[in-house]
Amino acid sequence: MIIANRAIARLLITTAMAAAALPAFAQDAAPAAAEDGGEIIVTATRRADTLQNTPAAVAAFTAATIQSAGIERPADFIALTSNVNLVQTQNAGNAFVIIRGITQARNSEPSVAVIVDGIQQVNPAQFNQELFDIEQIEVLKGPQGGLWGRNAIGGAIVIRSKAPTDEFSGKMTAGIDNGFGYYVRGNLSGPVAENLKFRLAGSWYDTDGFIQNTFLNEKADPIKDLNLRGNLLWTPEPGFELDLRVAYSNLQTQALYFNIVNDVNDTSLPVRVNNRGQNDREIWNAAVKVRYEGDFGAIQNVTSYDRLTEVLTGDAFNFLPIEESLFFQFFGFDLNQSQFLEVDAWSNELRYESPTSWPVELTLGTYMVGTNRFISTGNMVDTGAGVFPVFREPRLTGNNPQFSFLADGQRNFAWAVFANASWKITDQLRLDGSLRYDRDTRRNTTLTPTAFLPNVPGFPQGVTGEVRRRQFQSWQPKFTLSYKPVDNVTLYGGWSRGFRSGGFNQTGVGSVASGNGIVGVSDIFQPEVAETWEVGVKTQTDDRLLTFNAAAFTTRTENSYFFVFLAANSTQNLGNVPLAQIKGFEADLTLRPMQGLDLNVGLGFTDSNIKSFPDATRIGNELPLISRYTLNAGINYTRPITDTLDLNWRVDYNRIGRTWWDVENSTSRNPVDLVNMRLGVSSKRFSVTAFSQNLFNEIYNAEFSPGGFVFKARPRRYGIEASFNF
């Protein structure tokens, strides 16, 4: 009866959303415009323009949408965007963005450029953080390297936090949830002195977790998460701006609570690891932006420094209590594992922007980034005394002595030059073009002690201190022609080329992979290049009652990444698919039938096909991590209760279509249906909101990786929160 009632309730909610209209949310986020009562201004083409006039597939989430949808983490806005998915697995730093079939994998360069307050994130392990005090989020689809820089092979995610204010103001939000958790978020902003303003913001989340470990009789996913951000803005004279930002994040949770199954749809096994595990991640960031605008245009320089450390420990294959583990059955002892990652990075971007009054608007610039990265991985003998982090040296004595150990240091330096131009040929016809050249020099030093280096007969023996160097480079052009036959219709089409640098797997994995019969994996993974053709249409009625946007694309990708775990030395590695073809489309419709009511639906479809692979039996398969389609639908309703009090109700539905996970297509996940709901009351000064994520408690695996590893997705979360503005 409970199952039947749940199914009926789900059917009622989703039917109401679909029947109300055939609307949309994702591609251009028109509901945000309706909520704000005006046009959304975006910077997708590196200049401010209305969302509907921008000749690109863009999802935009304003502060009003962020609040009404309860967007707290990247997964929240990605779930509202067609043809974009997020896979969260293993540990905090592993969250993969899949956008229009361009995928990401462990230890790889990201599939999208992530720009926060004008500063590009260098390390993909930074992406999965708490979102707080955010003004706007833009998701751009398709290669964007010429516009948004490094790793924008699949698109770009542009996040802008709220700016310092001229008057003192602030906001506090506090809530509790069913993980027996609580959270607090807040901000404070105002003037310090003449022409000097500040903003402070932070968040804290503490929960016992949601996924039960039946062996330890406790939750497997507790979280303690602290985030702080400070901003000083100095404007001593008109046109001059100096913006200083610092940020800190400290996350403590657990990791590596896998199950081993043959079918990704098998969710029957509980988590039964005998080790609690550890996943501690700390991030520091400091950045300064200097901008000067005059009659000549604008010059801007942004310098940033990041430091990230992450350590994780936990059980190893096959993630069962010691005496039940496969390793114990064969050898009489079990294993656990540890990984340590430390990354220091700096970057600098200098750009010139011409006046907007020029017939052809120009942007010219340079970019540099330097990275110093250390990673160690290994297995230890599980003596039942718990797990111990291993940092730069193997653990040779005491509890949990080292069984295997690999360590590498990487020093990378990349630079780029870029140019963008926009030519308004007529009032109706416009040509946008961009060109970027990237050169990435990478050096990998083997830091593994000789005794732990793989030694596979017939393959070269690794050497401690060995230095490998590679250079990767590419041009990234992009051209878009747009035409407005009437004011509320924009037609556009174009071609673009995206680039993502190659890099190093840990030393010796190529020989280990070959020794285990795995093809496509070596000590080096090659750079990926994707070429995309795209056409689109954007329409809207004069009163913004109805908005319809659609785009179709085809992408040819060379050296797409795929992931391989080598149990023999406990390493996570990348291989390349030499050639693949990806085709798809998005169609999004939004309707506002009455004041306060927004209805939306978005559909995204992606079809991939492996065209070339060392093992010919893989040709014709789907690329890993790609979902056949995404379906988004939502209702946002606001109704006055009194002169000062409003009722707010929002329901969002997200269906993730069939998903493939490896080049073998050994298993595929059935479609997943997720519903989030928020109900509350608000005034200009306060709000109280009840919420539920994964309302109907859909149980599914968030990821399947080669070897049968599955990682459980979070079940239903619900709670209540209150906010107060001052």
Side-chain angles (χ1 to χ4, degrees):
M1 180 65 70
I2 293 175
I3 295 175
N5 289 339
R6 180 182 297 169
I8 292 171
R10 180 181 298 172
L11 179 63
L12 287 173
I13 289 179
T14 56
T15 301
M17 290 187 292
L22 277 181
F25 184 91
Q27 176 174 321
D28 293 289
E35 291 168 0
D36 294 344
E39 293 282 1
I40 300 176
I41 304 300
V42 297
T43 57
T45 56
R46 279 289 191 178
R47 68 172 178 279
D49 203 348
T50 65
L51 186 60
Q52 284 301 111
N53 284 340
T54 299
V58 187
F61 304 88
T62 66
T65 304
I66 292 168
Q67 179 174 329
S68 68
I71 293 173
E72 299 174 347
R73 302 189 72 84
D76 298 330
F77 69 80
I78 287 176
L80 300 173
T81 309
S82 59
N83 262 345
V84 184
N85 286 322
L86 185 71
V87 175
Q88 300 179 83
T89 183
Q90 181 178 300
N91 62 294
N94 274 311
F96 316 137
V97 179
I98 297 91
I99 180 166
R100 285 185 170 182
I102 302 297
T103 62
Q104 185 181 335
R106 290 169 176 81
N107 300 322
S108 79
E109 295 292 329
S111 58
V112 297
V114 179
I115 297 92
V116 181
D117 293 329
I119 303 152
Q120 184 167 357
Q121 289 187 349
V122 176
N123 193 325
Q126 296 173 264
F127 177 63
N128 194 25
Q129 293 187 55
E130 192 83 5
L131 296 171
F132 58 97
D133 202 34
I134 301 298
E135 181 65 30
Q136 186 158 303
I137 302 168
E138 299 175 33
V139 182
L140 290 69
K141 304 172 189 176
Q144 306 288 337
L147 288 167
W148 292 102
R150 182 178 173 83
N151 294 322
I153 185 170
I157 296 174
V158 183
I159 300 173
R160 177 161 52 90
S161 62
K162 294 186 176 180
T165 55
D166 294 320
E167 298 180 355
F168 280 106
S169 64
K171 181 178 182 178
M172 287 294 297
T173 300
I176 56 174
D177 66 24
N178 62 309
F180 297 103
Y182 70 94
Y183 57 90
V184 179
R185 297 190 295 270
N187 64 73
L188 182 65
S189 179
V192 176
E194 186 178 2
N195 301 321
L196 181 64
K197 299 178 286 188
F198 81 97
R199 192 173 190 98
L200 298 173
S203 70
W204 166 255
Y205 182 37
D206 188 329
T207 182
D208 293 338
F210 303 87
I211 299 171
Q212 186 70 19
N213 181 333
T214 59
F215 181 79
L216 296 177
N217 194 29
E218 63 184 30
K219 301 298 183 183
D221 58 333
I223 296 173
K224 295 182 185 296
D225 190 8
L226 172 66
N227 297 275
L228 300 170
R229 184 170 63 241
N231 180 201
L232 275 177
L233 181 62
W234 183 42
T235 53
E237 60 181 72
F240 181 82
E241 177 181 285
L242 190 149
D243 193 344
L244 174 65
R245 296 171 184 268
V246 293
Y248 174 74
S249 175
N250 188 309
L251 174 66
Q252 299 175 36
T253 182
Q254 294 182 24
L256 301 169
Y257 42 90
F258 288 102
N259 288 126
I260 305 298
V261 299
N262 293 320
D263 182 357
V264 65
N265 300 296
D266 184 355
T267 59
S268 62
L269 299 178
V271 172
R272 298 189 65 237
V273 294
N274 64 282
N275 288 302
R276 252 179 214 98
Q278 175 184 356
N279 183 191
D280 295 346
R281 183 187 67 181
E282 185 177 62
I283 305 172
W284 288 93
N285 171 260
V288 59
K289 178 174 71 175
V290 181
R291 182 178 178 87
Y292 183 74
E293 295 186 36
D295 294 338
F296 63 91
I299 295 178
Q300 176 177 292
N301 191 83
V302 180
T303 303
S304 176
Y305 171 77
D306 296 278
R307 179 176 177 81
L308 179 145
T309 58
E310 184 172 19
V311 61
L312 58 144
T313 66
D315 266 12
F317 187 88
N318 56 341
F319 305 97
L320 290 173
I322 295 176
E323 295 185 358
E324 299 178 43
S325 69
L326 186 65
F327 214 80
F328 183 86
Q329 304 302 316
F330 282 93
F331 302 103
F333 61 93
D334 192 16
L335 297 178
N336 54 39
Q337 60 182 304
S338 180
Q339 175 175 296
F340 174 62
L341 175 67
E342 183 177 77
V343 183
D344 289 278
W346 63 268
S347 66
N348 190 87
E349 183 190 84
L350 174 65
R351 69 169 52 234
Y352 162 76
E353 301 169 2
S354 71
T356 57
S357 59
W358 282 16
V360 177
E361 297 179 37
L362 294 175
T363 301
L364 306 171
T366 64
Y367 177 80
M368 295 183 293
V369 59
T371 305
N372 185 8
R373 180 177 185 265
F374 173 86
I375 184 171
S376 67
T377 61
N379 288 119
M380 290 78 67
V381 176
D382 191 345
T383 61
V387 286
F388 301 87
V390 176
F391 298 96
R392 292 181 173 269
E393 302 294 335
R395 183 181 179 86
L396 301 177
T397 59
N399 289 318
N400 291 23
Q402 206 78 39
F403 180 81
S404 66
F405 181 80
L406 291 176
D408 284 285
Q410 295 180 3
R411 287 186 177 272
N412 306 327
F413 175 74
W415 61 268
V417 292
F418 58 87
N420 308 315
S422 180
W423 179 25
K424 193 172 183 181
I425 303 170
T426 70
D427 289 341
Q428 296 174 299
L429 190 65
R430 189 173 88 191
L431 178 65
D432 291 281
S434 59
L435 182 64
R436 180 184 176 98
Y437 175 75
D438 283 88
R439 176 173 288 185
D440 194 349
T441 302
R442 301 197 166 203
R443 186 182 73 176
N444 186 93
T445 303
T446 302
L447 301 176
T448 307
T450 302
F452 287 98
L453 284 168
N455 185 7
V456 180
F459 293 90
Q461 171 68 26
V463 178
T464 303
E466 177 186 5
V467 177
R468 297 177 289 162
R469 293 182 176 87
R470 288 293 186 277
Q471 191 174 88
F472 307 101
Q473 56 193 336
S474 182
W475 289 94
Q476 296 186 79
K478 181 181 176 70
F479 300 99
T480 303
L481 186 66
S482 56
Y483 176 63
K484 291 182 66 67
V486 294
D487 285 344
N488 294 324
V489 175
T490 299
L491 306 174
Y492 65 92
W495 173 82
S496 54
R497 188 173 191 264
F499 166 73
R500 176 164 49 174
S501 184
F504 298 98
N505 289 318
Q506 287 188 259
T507 305
V509 301
S511 57
V512 175
S514 297
N516 285 271
I518 298 171
V519 299
V521 176
S522 67
D523 285 14
I524 297 172
F525 56 92
Q526 299 302 317
E528 182 178 3
V529 174
E531 296 187 4
T532 297
W533 288 93
E534 178 177 353
V535 294
V537 58
K538 308 178 89 165
T539 65
Q540 189 177 66
T541 59
D542 290 338
D543 56 4
R544 295 197 294 273
L545 171 68
L546 178 67
T547 301
F548 176 76
N549 301 298
F553 62 91
T554 179
T555 298
R556 181 182 185 272
T557 175
E558 299 177 4
N559 294 323
S560 175
Y561 295 163
F562 70 92
F563 171 74
V564 171
F565 174 75
L566 291 176
N569 56 1
S570 191
T571 55
Q572 301 175 2
N573 308 287
L574 297 180
N576 293 115
V577 176
L579 182 63
Q581 189 75 34
I582 305 169
K583 298 178 181 179
F585 68 85
E586 296 113 20
D588 301 276
L589 184 69
T590 302
L591 179 67
R592 192 182 194 193
M594 55 184 266
Q595 181 69 29
L597 178 61
D598 299 295
L599 308 168
N600 55 81
V601 165
L603 174 66
F605 176 84
T606 304
D607 177 53
S608 66
N609 189 288
I610 296 175
K611 296 292 187 180
S612 175
F613 197 75
D615 182 350
T617 63
R618 311 307 182 212
I619 295 175
N621 285 357
E622 299 279 346
L623 287 169
L625 301 180
I626 294 179
S627 300
R628 174 67 78 217
Y629 65 88
T630 62
L631 175 64
N632 310 89
I635 299 175
N636 189 70
Y637 181 56
T638 300
R639 177 179 179 178
I641 301 175
T642 68
D643 291 342
T644 59
L645 198 63
D646 291 336
L647 172 71
N648 307 293
W649 178 59
R650 183 175 182 120
V651 181
D652 288 298
Y653 168 65
N654 174 218
R655 181 177 175 88
I656 305 170
R658 184 166 298 280
T659 306
W660 290 264
W661 299 98
D662 51 23
V663 292
E664 295 82 8
N665 288 184
S666 61
T667 185
S668 61
R669 190 180 65 194
N670 295 332
V672 173
D673 296 287
L674 302 172
V675 176
N676 296 338
M677 180 156 40
R678 296 175 65 85
L679 178 65
V681 294
S682 65
S683 70
K684 290 183 178 180
R685 298 295 297 275
F686 77 90
S687 66
V688 178
T689 304
F691 64 86
S692 178
Q693 298 171 318
N694 192 0
L695 176 65
F696 297 109
N697 201 29
E698 180 92 350
I699 303 300
Y700 65 102
N701 289 316
E703 188 216 22
F704 176 98
S705 62
F709 298 73
V710 290
F711 198 74
K712 290 184 178 295
R714 178 190 277 179
R716 176 171 49 220
R717 175 180 179 244
Y718 59 87
I720 189 168
E721 68 177 29
S723 296
F724 178 71
N725 299 307
F726 56 90

